[in-house]
Amino acid sequence: MSADIVTLSVDGLEIPVTVVRKRVKNLNLRVRPNGTVTLSIPQHLPPDRARDFLERRGGWIAEQVRRNIERGRELDVDSEPLDRIPLWGELVTRGPVQTGPGQGVLGQGVLGQGAIDQGAIDELYRSEVLRALPDVAEHMQERIGVHASRWSVRAMKTRWGSCTPKTGSIRINARLAAYPPACLEFVVAHELVHLLEPSHNARFHALLDEFCPDNRHLAKLLKSAPGPR
């Protein structure tokens, strides 16, 4: 396996792309949450083909990198200590404050009186989604008429939710606690609809429109940095 660096100049950004030759059949492009970009290519693909592919996707790559930069500014563990964090669409400070949706307290025992660290934020988000999920899941399952066999909450970097239609298992991203409660409801609805229609075809979107009419707005909201609107 060998790697080269190709620099893309797009919309004022100089974006280094790591091009890795692997035993793959197709070109696989990935923009990581930290802003790094990797392109995996077949071992014998000419370099010009790889560059042409990157230039065609340059606009999309720049958009993803900018988005990740903005998200990183919100929750950057290497930046100055955080005094406020986004929680259910609002900015909250350390110490005892009411949280939502439902009843809950973001207490001094969770974040303490000192600087807020990323580990505490991750644990807070996970506990908040675990608390809110049962009621949201029950409501949406009754509304849609389908039930998951298992729910779990985990930190995911590239997806807000995922499901395995064959087993009925659904996974929800803990970071949804940073966004308004409606975003959690949307992702739960999205994954439940996948139990009825595994693909993103016209039937899937028609069902999602029926059970979550505001889904397009909420999907757009999840592409922006969390915080008050």
Side-chain angles (χ1 to χ4, degrees):
M1 181 174 67
S2 62
D4 296 301
I5 303 296
V6 174
T7 301
L8 286 179
S9 298
V10 185
D11 297 336
L13 290 179
E14 295 291 324
I15 305 172
V17 180
T18 302
V19 180
V20 183
R21 294 186 179 275
K22 293 183 176 181
R23 291 181 178 178
V24 295
K25 294 182 179 180
N26 301 309
L27 287 77
N28 300 308
L29 180 62
R30 181 179 183 186
V31 181
R32 291 183 172 85
N34 63 4
T36 59
V37 185
T38 302
L39 175 67
S40 300
I41 64 173
Q43 290 183 334
H44 301 295
L45 188 81
D48 290 345
R49 290 273 304 280
R51 176 170 283 279
D52 288 344
F53 175 83
L54 289 172
E55 289 178 350
R56 290 197 304 271
R57 302 299 302 276
W60 180 86
I61 294 171
E63 178 184 355
Q64 300 305 309
V65 169
R66 281 199 177 95
R67 184 176 299 161
N68 288 336
I69 289 172
E70 291 301 319
R71 285 178 176 172
R73 286 172 181 165
E74 295 287 337
L75 296 174
D76 187 352
V77 297
D78 296 324
S79 64
E80 294 297 318
L82 297 169
D83 289 323
R84 298 192 300 169
I85 65 167
L87 182 66
W88 298 121
E90 303 292 338
L91 288 177
V92 300
T93 58
R94 61 178 177 266
V97 296
Q98 292 297 323
T99 65
Q103 298 298 316
V105 175
L106 169 57
Q108 295 177 1
V110 177
L111 296 180
Q113 288 294 330
I116 302 171
D117 62 65
Q118 189 65 40
I121 294 172
D122 291 342
E123 181 56 33
L124 170 67
Y125 285 169
R126 182 174 181 276
S127 64
E128 283 289 304
V129 174
L130 280 171
R131 179 180 57 79
L133 181 59
D135 287 343
V136 174
E138 181 180 3
H139 169 71
M140 283 297 177
Q141 287 177 144
E142 291 301 319
R143 177 175 173 80
I144 297 173
V146 65
H147 288 71
S149 63
R150 180 175 179 270
W151 294 91
S152 61
V153 176
R154 62 181 64 175
M156 294 186 281
K157 293 183 178 181
T158 60
R159 295 182 178 183
W160 292 113
S162 65
C163 76
T164 307
K166 186 176 181 179
T167 63
S169 176
I170 292 179
R171 297 156 292 280
I172 300 296
N173 194 332
R175 287 184 55 241
L176 282 165
Y179 290 84
C183 290
L184 173 61
E185 296 172 5
F186 156 61
V187 173
V188 167
H190 182 112
E191 301 309 327
L192 285 170
V193 170
H194 271 312
L195 298 183
L196 298 174
E197 177 51 63
S199 68
H200 286 102
N201 59 15
R203 177 173 182 258
F204 170 86
H205 289 291
L207 288 168
L208 190 58
D209 286 342
E210 177 183 352
F211 298 120
C212 185
D214 208 21
N215 67 86
R216 288 173 175 79
H217 167 72
L218 295 171
K220 185 177 180 180
L221 189 61
L222 286 173
K223 292 179 181 179
S224 62
R229 293 298 184 272

